[in-house]
């Protein structure tokens, strides 16, 4: 299994960022996402626990089920089915308020289930494609929500869109699940 994490600070209130990123139909703002739809509503909210989402991305088709919904701090999901096939242990987004907006950490743990070559293909093919897709979705959220903090009486844009906690661009890589 390969753990993949992408992080970004989005210049908007935590509630707004959580709502945007848990409404997966917004993901089509990314050029790598073709279609997303809510197949079944969750128990306490449309995208709450039990919700089923279908995604068609440039890298494949995924059916996901929400397993944790803790607004505005965290959501988790599992991929129940996918084409091409994959093994998936975890999908998690966490949200934390920062001085520059909302820090989002998106982590997934998955692999291509092929004997002998699965681990290598996961590292060389799936990892860069998945982290790029996650990064594009977070960038789309940042663009869509640009300047939202200024509307709530908090300071406006920092002039550094997409800053991560180190002050650089988006960070994609391994890390803790």
């Amino acid at each position: 299994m390969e753990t993949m994490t992408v992080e970004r600070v989005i210049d908007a209130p935590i509630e707004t960022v959580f709502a945007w990123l848990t409404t997966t139909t917004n993901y089509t703002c990314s050029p790598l996402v073709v279609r997303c739809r809510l197949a079944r509503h969750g128990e306490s909210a449309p995208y709450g626990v039990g919700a089923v989402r279908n995604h068609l991305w440039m890298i494949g088709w995924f059916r996901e089920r929400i397993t944790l919904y803790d607004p505005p701090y965290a959501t988790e999901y599992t991929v129940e089915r996918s084409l091409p096939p994959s093994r998936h242990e975890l999908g998690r987004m966490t949200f934390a308020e920062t001085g520059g907006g909302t820090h989002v950490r998106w982590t997934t743990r998955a692999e291509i289930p092929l004997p002998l070559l699965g681990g290598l293909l996961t590292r060389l093919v799936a990892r860069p494609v998945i982290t790029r897709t996650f990064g594009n979705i977070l960038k789309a959220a940042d663009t869509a929500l640009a300047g939202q903090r200024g509307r709530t009486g908090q300071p406006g844009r920092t002039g550094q869109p997409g800053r991560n906690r180190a002050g650089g661009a988006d960070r994609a890589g391994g890390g803790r699940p």
Side-chain angles (χ1 to χ4, degrees), residues 162-177:
R163 288 184 309 114
N164 68 23
R165 64 182 168 199
D170 295 331
R171 186 183 81 170
R176 296 181 312 246

Side-chain angles (χ1 to χ4, degrees), residues 137-160:
I137 292 168
L138 294 179
K139 181 178 179 182
D142 195 37
T143 300
L145 301 174
Q148 292 282 318
R149 284 180 358 105
R151 294 185 196 145
T152 62
Q154 298 175 6
R157 301 235 7 122
T158 62
Q160 298 174 346

